[in-house]
């Protein structure tokens, strides 16, 4: 997903600033599984701050939107929760502790349920030692078709991905 995101973002005018670009460029993958779980580390940069020099609540929204959406990637297949995993229906955040600017956090996300049109992902933002939970999220998504211009941004493994799913659906064994 990150590689496709970068290809699409590179096609935009130089002065275009995506609201989510800072998040996508700074989340570092720590762990991922094939069952819809993913963990990242990210430093809360000054541009995510409020006047109290802690993370702004709106910044948590975009951080969670992107980090939880990526949990759907391992469940995606052609025609099912493709690139960027649909659109947000609701994003419910519980703020438990302020996150000081400069803090490195762990973002954990897990798909709780996924169907043809709806998905629900839970996540949390914690200290690296796991002792402090800064905030939690429940993210409901609605599946939408991939935009045609996004589908044109091909990454090296797209052909293999599509072939494996074709073989799975037709019962043909993969030789890869």
């Amino acid at each position: 997903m990150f590689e496709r995101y970068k290809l699409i973002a590179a096609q935009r005018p130089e002065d275009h600033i995506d609201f989510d670009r800072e998040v996508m460029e700074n989340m570092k993958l720590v762990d991922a599984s094939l069952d819809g779980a993913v963990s990242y580390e990210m430093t809360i940069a000054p541009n995510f701050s409020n006047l109290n020099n802690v993370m702004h609540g709106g910044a948590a929204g975009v951080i969670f939107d992107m980090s939880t959406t990526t949990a759907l990637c391992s469940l995606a297949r052609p025609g099912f929760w493709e690139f960027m995993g649909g659109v947000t229906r609701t994003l419910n955040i519980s703020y438990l502790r302020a996150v000081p600017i400069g803090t490195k956090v762990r973002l954990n996300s897990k798909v709780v349920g996924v169907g043809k049109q709806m998905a629900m992902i839970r996540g949390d933002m914690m200290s690296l030692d796991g002792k402090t939970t800064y905030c939690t999220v429940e993210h409901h998504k609605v599946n939408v078709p991939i935009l045609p211009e996004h589908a044109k941004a091909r990454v090296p493994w797209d052909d293999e991905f599509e072939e494996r799913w074709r073989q799975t659906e037709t019962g043909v064994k993969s030789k890869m």
Side-chain angles (χ1 to χ4, degrees):
M1 185 178 111
F2 288 89
E3 285 76 13
R4 189 175 325 279
Y5 178 91
K6 288 176 186 175
L7 287 172
I8 293 166
Q11 295 172 5
R12 301 216 181 203
E14 274 187 42
D15 61 344
H16 181 91
I17 299 172
D18 292 309
F19 193 60
D20 51 12
R21 182 178 290 179
E22 183 77 17
V23 175
M24 293 297 283
E25 290 178 355
N26 290 294
M27 284 193 311
K28 304 299 180 215
L29 183 66
V30 173
D31 192 25
S33 70
L34 294 176
D35 65 349
V38 67
S39 295
Y40 297 97
E41 288 182 0
M42 180 178 171
T43 300
I44 304 303
N47 55 337
F48 289 132
S49 71
N50 64 18
L51 291 175
N52 296 322
N53 210 31
V54 295
M55 181 183 67
H56 189 285
V62 73
I63 292 167
F64 274 135
D65 189 16
M66 302 311 293
S67 64
T68 55
T69 294
T70 62
L72 284 165
C73 289
S74 67
L75 305 175
R77 59 184 184 268
F80 185 80
W81 293 97
E82 292 182 85
F83 176 66
M84 298 302 284
V87 296
T88 297
R89 182 172 159 242
T90 61
L91 188 71
N92 301 311
I93 302 172
S94 294
Y95 301 94
L96 306 172
R97 293 200 181 270
V99 184
I101 296 307
T103 301
K104 187 178 254 188
V105 297
R106 173 75 48 92
L107 301 160
N108 302 299
S109 302
K110 173 75 175 135
V111 176
V112 176
V114 62
K116 199 173 193 178
Q117 292 301 322
M118 304 286 216
M120 198 270 274
I121 308 115
R122 286 199 180 116
D124 56 52
M125 184 182 296
M126 304 182 77
S127 59
L128 293 183
D129 64 9
K131 293 180 181 177
T132 304
T133 301
Y134 296 111
C135 42
T136 63
V137 69
E138 188 171 280
H139 189 181
H140 294 255
K141 296 199 65 106
V142 176
N143 194 12
V144 296
I146 187 170
L147 294 173
E149 61 269 24
H150 290 174
K152 290 178 185 173
R154 306 275 299 169
V155 292
W157 52 87
D158 277 338
D159 293 334
E160 180 181 346
F161 174 78
E162 291 164 2
E163 177 62 18
R164 284 181 186 241
W165 279 109
R166 185 192 65 73
Q167 291 172 354
T168 300
E169 291 186 354
T170 60
V172 176
K173 293 192 178 200
S174 175
K175 293 179 185 171
M176 294 179 195

